[in-house]
Every structure is written in C-alpha cells, then in structure tokens.
Amino acid sequence: MDNLIPVYESSTLSHRKVYQIKGALYRFTGRCPWARIDHPQWCFTPLAGQRRKADIKLNQNNVRHGIYEVPGMVASRQSEVMGQGIQQTLF
C-alpha cells in the first residue's frame, strides 16, 4: 500500500473504493442521516478480518486530512482483508 491517494474532497468518496484511515481499511457507506446540515458527517465501515470492528463517522476536516484511497482495491459487502491483500468473495 505504498501508492495511497489522499482524499481532499468529500464529493470524490465512492461506495466501491477502499479507504485507509489511521492504518485500517474501510468502505464508505454514505452520509450520516442524523448529522446537522451545516455540519455534515460521512460514515465508514471497516472491512472484515481486521482488528477494528466499529463504524466511524468523520467530519469535513477529517475527510480532508485523514483519508487515503487505496488504488486497485474494490470494496463490496463481502470484502475481507487477509494477510497483505484483500479477497473478494463471489457469493
């Protein structure tokens, strides 16, 4: 994971991409429906097979400075982290 791409805009977040946040791999799930309109938040779910199990919500400043896109990895609900890579399940 040497070629990480920093994310500067929340509009570039995608449900199909994998993001690295503080050393763990996450999948973007969408905007937080309970956040205030003037203080938006974005929700992320960790991929299976990692130590971190809790979902996280990030505000605008954390999105600009703390998220990196992992190129070449595609996220789905069945994505699982194994060893140094990510494995996709078919069923």
Side-chain angles (χ1 to χ4, degrees):
M1 290 190 233
D2 298 331
N3 302 330
L4 298 176
I5 302 168
V7 176
Y8 297 115
E9 286 292 322
S10 60
S11 61
T12 60
L13 296 174
S14 172
H15 296 280
R16 304 292 291 165
K17 296 179 183 177
V18 174
Y19 298 98
Q20 181 178 358
I21 304 169
K22 296 184 181 178
L25 298 177
Y26 288 88
R27 179 176 60 89
F28 174 63
T29 56
R31 285 187 71 164
C32 179
W34 299 284
R36 291 176 37 178
I37 293 174
D38 56 342
H39 297 290
Q41 293 180 339
W42 291 268
C43 300
F44 292 86
T45 302
L47 298 180
Q50 298 188 102
R51 297 188 94 174
R52 297 193 182 181
K53 304 294 182 200
D55 295 350
I56 60 171
K57 288 188 250 181
L58 300 177
N59 62 11
Q60 183 69 32
N61 290 336
N62 290 340
V63 168
R64 288 185 192 154
H65 301 294
I67 298 180
Y68 298 95
E69 177 187 336
V70 181
M73 290 189 173
V74 178
S76 66
R77 292 183 186 258
Q78 293 80 23
S79 296
E80 183 175 351
V81 176
M82 306 188 98
Q84 295 288 29
I86 186 170
Q87 179 178 353
Q88 300 286 323
T89 57
L90 297 176
F91 302 103

